[in-house]
Amino acid sequence: MTDFQRVISFEALYNAYKIAKRGKGNKISSAKFNINVLDEIHKLHKSLNDRTYAVSHYTEFYVYEPKERLIKAGSFRDAIVQHSICDNVLLPLFQNEFIIDNYAGQIGKGTLFGLNRLSEFFASFFRAHGTTGYILKCDITKFFYSIDHEILKDTVHYHIQDKEIQWLCDQFIDSTEELGLPLGNQISQVFALLYLNGLDHFIKDELGAQYYGRYMDDFYIIHEDREYLVWCLSYIEKFVKSLGLSLNSKTQIIPFRNGLKFLGFHTYISQDGEVFRKVKNENKRNAQRKYTKMAKLVRDGKISKAKFSESYNSWKGHAMQGGCCELVKKIDSHIEAIIPI
């Protein structure tokens, strides 16, 4: 059985359906599919098998936390196909290509993993150099919105030999006419990981960076020599330009002793080598403002308590990764004044 036949098999599509329906509640697209699920999966299999499958139109909306972003949400049917191809082919294949310090979108990775790796780097660097050193902090301008379809397809085709899998990937890459990938797609997250995979290997293998980490478009290098980081930056700028991307104004070289703002936290090290991290001040303000607003919506019956609790508890878990007990208590008290938690 080829990779493509495995992806479009009834069993794989049904398993992908069970994953895709989690958390969908009573959304219309999933509810319609659920009515005749076996028949719908059969029709989906047939359209994939005879190459008449095409990605549906997206529903567009904006989110404003932590910053304004345009989300393009696909259909439930397309989410099933994405789960099947990502879980059965793309992630198993690409995980061997990705460096350990590419933190996003993979099982066993994520923000806590990235933060812990950064703490390990800080401690290791301190043992070798004390607080004398520098950090190159890079951020790519509008990364998801700037991904070039042709460059991405060339990259995907280089790693995947199965022509039918290439065809299916191309359906999602070209599902929008403009540059970039839809932020609401699971497969977009995987493609984004791959798009900068070459940069990861270039920085690690060619530039020789020992202390390097990346979460999507946000990455850093720690080194004792500022001139080395200036040299690295010049080559990184050329590399990202070859991908149709550019670094934004947040890119800078900062003293190691100042610490690093990464993944929502400010990580820094004391003079005696103890590593600390705390929630960035702007994130504290944003969190209090966001959950105060959401609590008032619950009080007024405009959103459910369950929806509020899911979001708020997720944020509290994130904040506790930085040991922010006092901050959590403060916002808990503020919320309690509006609704019972």
Side-chain angles (χ1 to χ4, degrees):
M1 182 184 291
T2 66
D3 283 343
F4 183 73
Q5 290 301 321
R6 187 153 49 88
V7 166
I8 71 168
S9 69
F10 189 93
E11 180 182 6
L13 291 174
Y14 185 74
N15 287 335
Y17 153 76
K18 290 191 291 185
I19 296 170
K21 73 174 183 176
R22 295 172 189 165
K24 294 297 181 182
N26 294 318
K27 290 186 178 179
I28 294 174
S29 61
S30 61
K32 287 181 177 179
F33 200 96
N34 289 335
I35 293 172
N36 295 299
V37 60
L38 298 184
D39 185 49
E40 291 293 338
I41 290 177
H42 175 74
K43 288 191 291 185
L44 184 55
H45 165 78
K46 186 175 185 304
S47 70
L48 288 161
N49 194 52
D50 61 21
R51 310 298 184 277
T52 59
Y53 172 81
V55 178
S56 305
H57 292 296
Y58 293 101
T59 301
E60 297 186 358
F61 59 93
Y62 284 92
V63 296
Y64 299 95
E65 294 288 348
K67 59 184 177 180
E68 181 177 319
R69 293 179 297 165
L70 173 63
I71 304 297
K72 294 186 177 184
S75 70
F76 183 68
R77 167 179 166 273
D78 293 332
I80 292 171
V81 177
Q82 290 180 60
H83 275 294
S84 188
I85 190 173
C86 288
D87 297 345
N88 290 297
V89 174
L90 299 187
L91 285 172
L93 174 64
F94 294 155
Q95 69 182 5
N96 295 323
E97 295 289 332
F98 298 149
I99 65 170
I100 188 173
D101 289 298
N102 176 353
Y103 306 129
Q106 302 161 73
I107 295 173
K109 298 287 188 72
T111 56
L112 181 56
F113 181 87
L115 287 166
N116 287 339
R117 286 287 289 177
L118 178 61
S119 294
E120 291 171 13
F121 287 165
F122 264 55
S124 177
F125 185 86
F126 178 86
R127 287 193 294 270
H129 307 285
T131 58
T132 302
Y134 299 89
I135 304 171
L136 170 60
K137 175 71 161 54
C138 296
D139 201 318
I140 294 177
T141 303
K142 296 182 178 179
F143 174 49
F144 264 89
Y145 303 112
S146 304
I147 290 174
D148 184 286
H149 291 188
E150 295 307 314
I151 294 175
L152 176 57
K153 285 191 287 187
D154 286 345
T155 305
V156 171
H157 293 186
Y158 173 80
H159 289 283
I160 296 174
Q161 307 308 312
D162 188 316
K163 297 294 183 183
E164 293 168 311
I165 293 291
Q166 290 179 0
W167 167 80
L168 186 52
C169 288
D170 290 352
Q171 299 305 302
F172 285 100
I173 294 171
D174 290 331
S175 62
T176 58
E177 294 182 1
E178 65 274 12
L179 278 173
L181 298 175
L183 272 174
N185 275 353
Q186 179 195 15
I187 202 168
S188 295
Q189 308 293 321
V190 179
F191 287 152
L193 290 172
L194 183 65
Y195 200 74
L196 291 179
N197 180 57
L199 175 66
D200 292 337
H201 286 281
F202 175 71
I203 291 174
K204 293 287 292 182
D205 303 335
E206 301 299 323
L207 299 184
Q210 179 181 0
Y211 302 113
Y212 166 75
R214 177 172 71 85
Y215 192 98
M216 284 301 181
D217 55 348
D218 196 3
F219 58 96
Y220 64 86
I221 303 173
I222 306 171
H223 199 269
E224 67 272 18
D225 185 356
R226 191 180 191 281
E227 292 307 309
Y228 167 80
L229 294 178
V230 172
W231 176 76
C232 286
L233 179 57
S234 68
Y235 281 99
I236 289 170
E237 287 175 327
K238 292 175 184 176
F239 195 104
V240 299
K241 185 177 181 181
S242 74
L243 296 174
L245 305 172
S246 62
L247 300 178
N248 67 23
S249 59
K250 295 179 184 177
T251 298
Q252 58 183 319
I253 297 174
I254 54 180
F256 176 70
R257 63 178 177 272
N258 289 3
L260 176 66
K261 292 181 179 180
F262 185 64
L263 298 178
F265 289 86
H266 186 179
T267 298
Y268 57 98
I269 196 162
S270 68
Q271 288 294 325
D272 58 1
E274 187 173 357
V275 180
F276 297 90
R277 61 175 176 249
K278 60 181 182 179
V279 176
K280 294 192 297 185
N281 289 331
E282 56 267 37
N283 287 6
K284 294 179 186 179
R285 293 189 292 270
N286 289 342
Q288 181 157 336
R289 185 164 52 245
K290 173 182 178 179
Y291 291 111
T292 297
K293 180 179 179 181
M294 286 187 72
K296 290 178 180 177
L297 291 173
V298 172
R299 181 195 62 195
D300 297 340
K302 295 181 178 179
I303 64 171
S304 70
K305 179 73 175 295
K307 182 176 181 179
F308 169 82
S309 296
E310 180 183 3
S311 177
Y312 186 51
N313 289 334
S314 175
W315 174 82
K316 286 203 293 186
H318 175 73
M320 293 301 288
Q321 292 171 15
C324 301
C325 298
E326 292 305 315
L327 172 64
V328 169
K329 288 180 182 178
K330 177 183 176 183
I331 298 183
D332 273 349
S333 297
H334 194 73
I335 299 302
E336 283 277 9
I338 304 170
I339 57 170
I341 296 180

